[in-house]
Each structure stands twice: as structure tokens, then as C-alpha cells.
């Protein structure tokens, strides 16, 4: 049809499968296995529903001010959005407008190339080495911007902050975005370097460590000029992207630091336990610092294990892509869920 000539087409991001039936062990989308802070529930139960007839505060000041206090920055250094995906997409649209290609790893969050395609941004992927680590020299070449997740996904590998700082320092003419969606699970944040580098922006989310994937809250922290440009683009699309429930729930979650530490601590403990169990079953794993592990069995193809797990209502993530098509990404669930996974794998490997 003639009208199709003017359609913008791209290959969309494919999320992890969301099984409709109950009774499954769902370890494929990196969701937190525990509920949000009870204080979030209290806030939502006490929500003044009359207030929902009004537009929310376009600046989300209650949440932004709480984030500013929590991270010891100015409110003007914070941008909030509907999940870190929204924040990252706005960042691509705002900062990556030069003719040179933007750079990001070849094995990484698969939304990056989708946004680049949608916004017609030239890009080049930089190959990770054999240990799934970035090679800093790849990012010290002419570019139109840089995006690096730390820890990376789906590998879970955490790069040394010193290496990333070298990359930021070597690119004063480019905005460098560090995507820290998983940093709370044992990583080191780049946030302390924001004041030193005006081209550095750090992006985080409430979806993982704060168990609020369903609420969609993400944020960026950078110098005020970068954040100002980001807001200009956002407000050119939709000034009211974050609803009142999300603003209030996000604030409540931030204020319950004890619950946050307890939840993250349980996930880290379970992750380390799962690593040892999987190694004992013949798996090789990266030293993940995220809420998932990246595993490859020494003799059984990943696709086969993936299918066997799925047929038994245990869902993990598999990609049929070069370099990672013999790996599984396994979200860290509760200890009980991980014990179910390990018990199945032990029996499957024994009887195979």
C-alpha cells in the first residue's frame, strides 16, 4: 500500500516471556522476587483518589527532592521518567544527534540498537573480549556518544570504575551514559564522579532492587545543564509522564532504607549460593554482580536446557545470537525458587 512507504520501521525490542498460567518458576525477566517496601503499600492504600482527576506535578518534585536528598545532589541534577527505558530513550533523542556513530558493547541490553534505529542514530558496537569485558581502547575513538551498562546485561559483569572513568575523561566532546540498572547488587556507582565530568550521566531504576518494575520509575543524575536539555526534550513530548501514584510510591520506597538493604542482601546471598550450586552441576558462570547469573554448561547445549526447563514450568532467558547462544540468563528468585531450579537441573543432568 502507498501509505506504507512513509512508515518508520524497525526491529522491536523483545522482552522476556510473560507466562499466563500460574504455578511457574519465573526467572526470565530480572524482576525482584520480593514485594516492594510495605511503606509503598501504605502510601497507595491511603492515596487521595480525588487527586487523580488533576494532572500530576510535571516536575515530580516530591520524588525528585527525595532522590536529591538520598544521593546528595541538587534537584536540578535529576531527571525522572517512566522507567529507565524512558530515561534512556530520551537521552538517545537528546544527546546523540551528531553524524558520528554512538558506541556501545556488542553484547548488551538489546534496547540500545532499537532506539538507535528508531531515532536514525548511527551506531557501532564494540566487541567484548573473551571474558565479556569491554576493551577501553574501543571507546577512545571518534564517536557521537557512548552508552555502557555497568554491570552489563545479560552477562552480569561489573567493570572497574577506574576503567570507565578513563573512557569518560577521554571523551569530553561526547555524552557518556552509564546505565546502572543493576548496580545495587554489588556494583560500584559512577555517581561520585558526576561533579568532575560534565559529560557524564548515570541512569538507574526502581524496577530491580526496589521491586517496582510494575510502577515504572527511572531516573538520571548529571550536571544541571545536561538535565536541563533532557527536560526540554521530554516536555516537548509529554509534560506529565509520571503519574501521582508513582511519585508517591517512589518517595516511600526511598525512605525505607532498611527494607531496601534487607531485600538486596537476600538476593545477593541467594545469587552467591546459586553460583556455587550451578558450578557443581558443570556450569561455567561469569562473576555476576547483578540480580541474575549468566551460565553455560560444559556439555549440554543451552537451548536444550532452556526447552527442558520451560516444559517443566521453569522460565529462564535464552538468546539465539552469536557469542551467547550457549548461555542462559537466570534471574535470582527466592531461595525456594532457586532450589527448585537446581533440583530440576541436577535430576535432568543425571538422567540425560
Amino acid at each position: 500500500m502507498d501509505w506504507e512507504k512513509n512508515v518508520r520501521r524497525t526491529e522491536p525490542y523483545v522482552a522476556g516471556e510473560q507466562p499466563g498460567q500460574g504455578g511457574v518458576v519465573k526467572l526470565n525477566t530480572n524482576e525482584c522476587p520480593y514485594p516492594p517496601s510495605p511503606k509503598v503499600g501504605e502510601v497507595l492504600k491511603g492515596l487521595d483518589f480525588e487527586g487523580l482527576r488533576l494532572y500530576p506535578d510535571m516536575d515530580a518534585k516530591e520524588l525528585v527532592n527525595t532522590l536529591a536528598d538520598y544521593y546528595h545532589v541538587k534537584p536540578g541534577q535529576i531527571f525522572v521518567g517512566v522507567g529507565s527505558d524512558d530515561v534512556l530513550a530520551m537521552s538517545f533523542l537528546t544527546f546523540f544527534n551528531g553524524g558520528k556513530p554512538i558506541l556501545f558493547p556488542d553484547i548488551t541490553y538489546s534496547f540500545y540498537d532499537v532506539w538507535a534505529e528508531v531515532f536514525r542514530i548511527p551506531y557501532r558496537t564494540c566487541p567484548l573480549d573473551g571474558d565479556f569485558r569491554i576493551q577501553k581502547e574501543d571507546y577512545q575513538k571518534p564517536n557521537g556518544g557512548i552508552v555502557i551498562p555497568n554491570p552489563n546485561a545479560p552477562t552480569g559483569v561489573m567493570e572497574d570504575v577506574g576503567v570507565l572513568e578513563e573512557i569518560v575523561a577521554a571523551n569530553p566532546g561526547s555524552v557518556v551514559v552509564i546505565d546502572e540498572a543493576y548496580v545495587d547488587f554489588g556494583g560500584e556507582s559512577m555517581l561520585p564522579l558526576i561533579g568532575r565530568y560534565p559529560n557524564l550521566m548515570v541512569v538507574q531504576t526502581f524496577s530491580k532492587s526496589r521491586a517496582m518494575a510494575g510502577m515504572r520509575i527511572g531516573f538520571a543524575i548529571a550536571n544541571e545543564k545536561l538535565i536541563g536539555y533532557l527536560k526540554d526534550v521530554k516536555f516537548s513530548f509529554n509534560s506529565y509522564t509520571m503519574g501521582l501514584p508513582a511519585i508517591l510510591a517512589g518517595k516511600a520506597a526511598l525512605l525505607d532504607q532498611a527494607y531496601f538493604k534487607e531485600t538486596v542482601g537476600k538476593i545477593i546471598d541467594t545469587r552467591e549460593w546459586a553460583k556455587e550450586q550451578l558450578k557443581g552441576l558443570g556450569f561455567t558462570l561469569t562473576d555476576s554482580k547483578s540480580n541474575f547469573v549468566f551460565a553455560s554448561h560444559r556439555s549440554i547445549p543451552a537451548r536444550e536446557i532452556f526447552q527442558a526447563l520451560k516444559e517443566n514450568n521453569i522460565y529462564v532467558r535464552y538468546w539465539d545470537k552469536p557469542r551467547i547462544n550457549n548461555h542462559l540468563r537466570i534471574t535470582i528468585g527466592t531461595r525456594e525458587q532457586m532450589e527448585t531450579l537446581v533440583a530440576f537441573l541436577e535430576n535432568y543432568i543425571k538422567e540425560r
Side-chain angles (χ1 to χ4, degrees):
M1 297 182 182
D2 290 343
W3 57 264
E4 287 186 287
K5 297 176 182 177
N6 297 318
V7 172
R8 174 166 289 189
R9 301 183 186 185
T10 188
E11 190 72 28
Y13 170 76
V14 179
E17 187 174 354
Q18 296 283 5
Q21 77 274 24
V24 304
V25 177
K26 189 171 182 295
L27 306 174
N28 66 332
T29 49
N30 294 347
E31 295 151 325
C32 182
Y34 305 105
S37 160
K39 294 185 183 300
V40 171
E42 293 170 9
V43 164
L44 294 179
K45 286 178 182 177
L47 183 67
D48 177 13
F49 288 97
E50 171 68 13
L52 295 181
R53 70 181 179 82
L54 304 173
Y55 285 110
D57 173 17
M58 61 187 289
D59 291 311
K61 285 190 289 290
E62 280 198 66
L63 177 58
V64 167
N65 289 340
T66 306
L67 281 165
D69 290 341
Y70 187 89
Y71 289 104
H72 308 293
V73 297
K74 299 175 183 178
Q77 291 180 269
I78 297 175
F79 174 90
V80 294
V82 185
S84 60
D85 287 342
D86 179 45
V87 176
L88 288 163
M90 288 295 102
S91 301
F92 272 57
L93 193 58
T94 304
F95 302 121
F96 300 157
N97 288 292
K100 298 174 184 176
I102 65 170
L103 309 176
F104 49 83
D106 65 333
I107 301 171
T108 193
Y109 185 32
S110 52
F111 233 139
Y112 297 158
D113 57 351
V114 172
W115 288 318
E117 295 285 352
V118 168
F119 299 136
R120 302 295 190 262
I121 300 169
Y123 69 93
R124 184 171 71 244
T125 59
C126 303
L128 299 178
D129 68 15
D131 295 319
F132 297 121
R133 291 195 169 277
I134 66 172
Q135 302 176 82
K136 63 183 180 182
E137 296 79 11
D138 290 340
Y139 299 89
Q140 296 174 357
K141 301 173 182 178
N143 64 80
I146 295 172
V147 185
I148 298 175
N150 201 41
N152 195 6
T155 66
V157 172
M158 177 77 194
E159 298 291 349
D160 184 78
V161 164
V163 172
L164 297 183
E165 182 176 3
E166 285 187 58
I167 292 172
V168 175
N171 290 279
S174 300
V175 173
V176 180
V177 178
I178 305 298
D179 182 355
E180 295 186 345
Y182 301 99
V183 75
D184 291 327
F185 299 105
E188 182 180 359
S189 177
M190 294 283 284
L191 282 173
L193 300 177
I194 290 292
R196 192 179 306 173
Y197 298 102
N199 61 322
L200 170 63
M201 186 170 76
V202 173
V203 177
Q204 294 189 14
T205 179
F206 281 53
S207 295
K208 316 299 182 185
S209 58
R210 298 193 186 276
M212 296 177 70
M215 190 59 76
R216 314 307 299 131
I217 303 173
F219 62 96
I221 300 180
N223 75 74
E224 291 179 273
K225 180 173 282 190
L226 279 183
I227 296 300
Y229 286 133
L230 205 49
K231 288 180 178 178
D232 288 345
V233 171
K234 173 190 175 183
F235 294 153
S236 298
F237 276 84
N238 184 351
S239 298
Y240 303 105
T241 52
M242 181 165 286
L244 178 62
I247 293 170
L248 298 179
K251 176 181 177 181
L254 276 173
L255 294 176
D256 195 349
Q257 182 69 353
Y259 184 85
F260 167 72
K261 288 184 176 180
E262 178 187 355
T263 300
V264 169
K266 287 192 292 187
I267 292 171
I268 291 173
D269 288 345
T270 303
R271 180 190 69 204
E272 296 307 306
W273 175 86
K275 283 182 184 178
E276 294 306 311
Q277 298 301 309
L278 291 170
K279 288 176 184 176
L281 294 175
F283 285 89
T284 299
L285 300 95
T286 61
D287 184 22
S288 174
K289 297 298 182 184
S290 56
N291 69 334
F292 57 85
V293 294
F294 195 56
S296 176
H297 197 268
R298 64 189 173 205
S299 60
I300 308 176
R303 183 195 291 273
E304 177 185 326
I305 298 173
F306 168 75
Q307 291 294 348
L309 287 167
K310 185 175 178 179
E311 289 167 7
N312 287 270
N313 290 326
I314 301 174
Y315 285 72
V316 298
R317 196 78 195 268
Y318 171 74
W319 289 272
D320 188 9
K321 292 183 176 182
R323 300 188 68 192
I324 61 171
N325 60 2
N326 200 34
H327 289 77
L328 299 171
R329 192 197 69 190
I330 305 170
T331 302
I332 300 301
T334 63
R335 180 63 175 262
E336 182 181 10
Q337 288 176 317
M338 300 310 290
E339 287 174 350
T340 299
L341 170 78
V342 169
F344 172 83
L345 289 172
E346 185 175 22
N347 186 63
Y348 181 78
I349 293 168
K350 185 184 301 181
E351 295 186 352
R352 182 178 180 269

